[in-house]
Amino acid sequence: MARSGNGVEPPQPPGDGAPTAELPKVTDRAVGRARAIPEAAVARLAVYLRVLSAMADQGAVTVSSEELASAAGVNSAKLRKDLSYLGSYGTRGVGYEVEVLVSEIERTLGLTRKQTVAVVGIGNLGHALANYAGFPGRGFPVEALFDVDPDLIGVPVGGLPVQHIDDIPKVCAQKRIAIGIIATPPAAAQGVCDRLVAGGVQCILNFAPVVLQVPSHVEVRKVDLAVELQILSFHVARKAEQRHAGRSAAKRAERNGRAPANRAGQRNGGRATARRTPSNGEVV
Amino acid sequence: MARSGNGVEPPQPPGDGAPTAELPKVTDRAVGRARAIPEAAVARLAVYLRVLSAMADQGAVTVSSEELASAAGVNSAKLRKDLSYLGSYGTRGVGYEVEVLVSEIERTLGLTRKQTVAVVGIGNLGHALANYAGFPGRGFPVEALFDVDPDLIGVPVGGLPVQHIDDIPKVCAQKRIAIGIIATPPAAAQGVCDRLVAGGVQCILNFAPVVLQVPSHVEVRKVDLAVELQILSFHVARKAEQRHAGRSAAKRAERNGRAPANRAGQRNGGRATARRTPSNGEVV
DNA sequence: CCGATTTTGTGCACACGTTCACAAGCGTTA
DNA sequence: TAACGCTTGTGAACGTGTGCACAAAATCGG
Ligand SMILES: NC(=O)c1ccc[n+]([C@@H]2O[C@H](COP(=O)([O-])OP(=O)(O)OC[C@H]3O[C@@H](n4cnc5c(N)ncnc54)[C@H](O)[C@@H]3O)[C@@H](O)[C@H]2O)c1
Ligand SMILES: NC(=O)c1ccc[n+]([C@@H]2O[C@H](COP(=O)([O-])OP(=O)(O)OC[C@H]3O[C@@H](n4cnc5c(N)ncnc54)[C@H](O)[C@@H]3O)[C@@H](O)[C@H]2O)c1
C-alpha cells in the first residue's frame, strides 16, 4: 500500500511546478508573505482572549505581560512572544491596553465575523452542546441541528428544530455554516462528515472517537475524552511507579508543591491538520 | 523522567538549595532511570489502542506499522517510534501482534487497574458525561456524582445518585477516586477543584473555561470547546485571507485536495502540566 | 533635561517533536 | 544453507516551540 494511506505528505516542499526540484536548504519561502502564527500560539491566544475579556468586564484598562501571563497560566516571556505575532501593541514600561489586545486577538482569530455552527447528533452530548450558552456568547451562534432519529426531527432543542441529516448539504450551504460539530456515534461520523463537507462546511469539531477523512481544505479538530482520561491515567501510573521504584532522589519536589520552574497552566494545545481520503479503506 | 512531567523541567536543575548553579550543558541527567515517553506520544498511544481494539474485534492478528499508521491517521515512522517507547514488540518482516500491542499499551497507560471517576456539576454536560458508556467501557467507571443544586441531590443519574459537593473529600477518599471531571460553571470550578484535591484525587479533567490552580502533584487537563472553535475560526480566516491576497502562488494545491505536506490526521495532542498556586491572586 | 525604573520586544540557545533513511533482523523460497 | 524481500527499530537531520536575558522604548521624578 505504499507510503501512508493518503499518499501525499512528501518530504519536499509543495513546489507547485517542479516536484523534483533540488532546492537547497531554504527554510520558509513557499507561501506568500512571512509571519505565520505558530499553531501552539493560536491556542493560547484564545485563552488570553478569554482572560482579557474577563479583565475588561472588571474594568481593567491595562495589563502587564506578567499579570496576564499569570492569569492565563503561562510564562510571561511566552506570552509576550505570542502577542508579538499580532504586532507591537504594547507600551514599554506600561503594559498592554486591554481593549486593544482584545480587538487585535479577535481580528487575528477571525472572530470579527461570526462563525455559524451546526451540531449533528442530538443525543446526550449534542443536547448539551445545543444548549450551551458559551458558543453564541463567544461569537459562534448555533444555527442548525441534525439527527437521523425520526422522533427527534422537528423537535426544538435550545429553540432550534432538529432537521434530518439528509438536509445537511442543503441547509449548511444555505445558512453558510462555517463549523460543523459531530456528536454522533462513531460509526455514523464519517458519513455525517461527508455531508457537512458537501454542504461547504470548512471546519469540523469531532467528538466521535474515529479518525475522519476529509479533503485537504477542511480543517478537523477532535475532542476525544477517552483519550484525555487515558493520558491522565498514564501520569498516575508513572507517578505511582516512580514512588515505588526510584525513592532515592526527587521526593520533596514531588510532594509539597515546590515545583521549581512550573512553567505553564494546564493546556490541551496542539494542532489539527486536515487529511485526504486514503487509498485503502482501513477499518476504524 | 524529569522531561515534561508535571513539576520538574526547569531551566536550572531543581537544585533545592542552589538555584544559581552554573550547570554546563548536561542534557538529561537528573533523575534515576532513562526512557521517558514523550507527552505527545502518550496521546497517540491512546489512539493506537482504540484502533487496535477495533482491529482485534474484527479478528486481525497482526498489523504492520503502515496499516496501523494509516488507520490512526499518522505517519508510519512516527508510529514505529511511538511503539518503540514500549519496547521491541514487533517482528521484522512481519509486523506487530495485535494482542501484544494492546496489552503493552494498556500496561504503559496504566489501564491495567481501573481508574475510578467522579463527575462534578450534573448540568447539561455533566448529564451527558454521567451517561456516557464510553468511559466505563474503556476502564474508567464513573463511581460518584456531585452537585450543589438541592433538587439534584439524591436523584439518580445513569444509575448513580447525585451527592452534595461538601461530601466530595469524604466520598472521593473513601471510593479512592482517581480522576475528577469538573463540569460546573466557571465560577465554581476552583472551589470544586480544591475539594477534589482534598479528597485525594490525582487527576482532573476540566471543562470549565478557567485556569485551575492545583498542587504540583495533581495533573490537570482541560477541554475548552470555545477555544477549539476559535482555533478553527483562525484557520478559516487565514485561508480566506490567503485566497484574497496571495493569489499568485499556491492555488490548485489549496483547492482540490493535493494537500502538499499533509502530514497527519487530526489531533488535539499536547500536554497538560500541573500548576501551583501563584503568588498573586489574579482574577479569572 | 537626565537618569532611574519599568516593561516590552526579540535574538539566541536549547529542548522537544517529526521525518527521513537505512541497517538489522526475520521469514520464505530456492 | 544462502539469497531475497519485507518490515521493524533507530540514528541523525530538521523543524518547531520554549525560556532566558537583555537592549530598546516609555514613563516618572528630580
Ligand atoms: N456523552 C458523552 O459524554 C460523550 C463523551 C465523549 C464522547 N462522546 C462521543 O460523542 C458521540 C455522541 O455521544 P452521545 O452520548 O451523545 O451519544 P447518544 O447515543 O446519546 O447520541 C447520539 C445521537 O446521534 C444520533 N445519530 C445516530 N446516527 C446518526 C447519524 N447517522 N446521523 C446523525 N445522527 C445520528 C442518534 O439519533 C442520537 O441522537 C459519540 O461518538 C460518543 O462516543 C460522548
Ligand atoms: N454544555 C456544554 O456543551 C458545554 C460546552 C463547553 C463547556 N462547557 C462548560 O462546562 C461547564 C458546565 O456546562 P453546562 O452546560 O453543563 O452548565 P449547566 O448550567 O447546565 O450545569 C452546571 C451544573 O453545575 C452545578 N453547579 C453550580 N455550582 C456548583 C458548585 N459550586 N458545585 C457543584 N456543582 C455546581 C449546577 O447546579 C448545574 O447542575 C461550564 O463551565 C461550561 O462553560 C459546557
Side-chain angles (χ1 to χ4, degrees), chain A residues 124-135 138 207, chain B residues 119-129 146-150 152 163-166 168 182-189 191-192 195 206-210 223-226:
Chain A
N124 281 313
L125 186 56
H127 264 91
L129 295 170
N131 284 316
Y132 184 42
F135 290 160
R138 294 193 171 277
F207 284 88
Chain B
V119 179
V120 189
I122 312 300
N124 279 312
L125 186 56
H127 265 89
L129 295 170
F146 301 97
D147 205 299
V148 264
D149 189 342
L152 271 173
Q163 295 177 273
H164 193 273
I165 55 165
D166 288 342
I168 289 177
I182 298 181
T184 66
V192 163
R195 287 172 220 227
N206 178 32
F207 284 89
V210 275
V223 175
D224 190 327
L225 302 189

Side-chain angles (χ1 to χ4, degrees), chain A residues 226 228-240, chain B residues 106-118 135-144 175-181 200-203:
Chain A
E228 296 295 328
L229 293 187
Q230 287 171 3
I231 294 171
L232 287 173
S233 167
F234 167 78
H235 286 292
V236 180
R238 217 167 58 87
K239 263 176 226 164
Chain B
E106 281 180 346
R107 193 176 56 75
T108 304
L109 295 184
L111 303 176
T112 43
R113 62 193 55 161
K114 288 200 170 155
Q115 311 273 1
T116 56
V117 173
F135 290 160
R138 294 192 170 280
F140 296 96
V142 177
E143 302 212 336
K175 295 200 172 179
R176 300 215 170 280
I177 299 290
I179 301 177
I181 301 184
V201 167
Q202 310 212 36
C203 301

